[in-house]
Amino acid sequence: ADPAEIRDVGLPQGIATEWLLSEDAFFVCPDNPKLVQRWVLAVIYYSTGGDSWIQCSANSSAFDDCGTQEPFLGETPFLDGVQECFWAGISCIDGCVTEIEFEENNLVGTIPSEIGLLSDL
């Protein structure tokens, strides 16, 4: 990722960085190898209009019943203060993201190139 984009809070990459540093309740240590994985998923969230998703948005004004219906039964909203493998639509093996599923969830925008950093996808 471009270092300038990571710091630009006008871009999804910068918004994700700011969220990770200032708002993320999970508090991932800087030396944790999963830090990049969590950041990439946040970049995807912000790049695809996550606050407007129909299900499991991090938007506090969203009124969906995340985790109570398929396809996200038992899962938590995106950007929740839990390990990212529990976020809706994310599947992991040994803590590494292996699948992302977003069927009919009002995504807009483009999938960011940072998705390529998820080497087990």
Side-chain angles (χ1 to χ4, degrees):
D2 181 341
E5 290 181 352
I6 292 171
R7 293 186 298 270
D8 186 344
V9 294
L11 296 174
Q13 294 82 355
I15 298 168
T17 300
E18 183 64 25
W19 168 79
L20 199 60
L21 295 174
S22 304
E23 300 174 39
D24 185 8
F26 194 62
F27 303 111
V28 180
C29 292
D31 61 347
N32 186 323
K34 299 299 180 212
L35 180 68
V36 171
Q37 173 175 278
R38 193 168 182 88
W39 176 77
V40 167
L41 292 173
V43 171
I44 292 169
Y45 177 85
Y46 291 114
S47 294
T48 60
D51 282 346
S52 298
W53 290 354
I54 296 168
Q55 289 186 18
C56 299
S57 169
N59 184 347
S60 60
S61 63
F63 293 106
D64 68 82
D65 293 323
C66 183
T68 63
Q69 53 191 329
E70 293 295 342
F72 304 129
L73 190 62
E75 298 180 8
T76 62
F78 242 70
L79 308 186
D80 201 26
V82 297
Q83 206 273 342
E84 59 275 11
C85 291
F86 296 106
W87 292 350
I90 304 301
S91 297
C92 297
I93 296 176
D94 297 328
C96 297
V97 174
T98 56
E99 183 178 343
I100 300 174
E101 176 187 356
F102 295 122
E103 293 183 23
E104 301 176 19
N105 205 17
N106 199 37
L107 274 69
V108 296
T110 58
I111 302 296
S113 62
E114 287 82 3
I115 197 169
L117 296 172
L118 299 175
S119 58
D120 293 311
L121 196 59

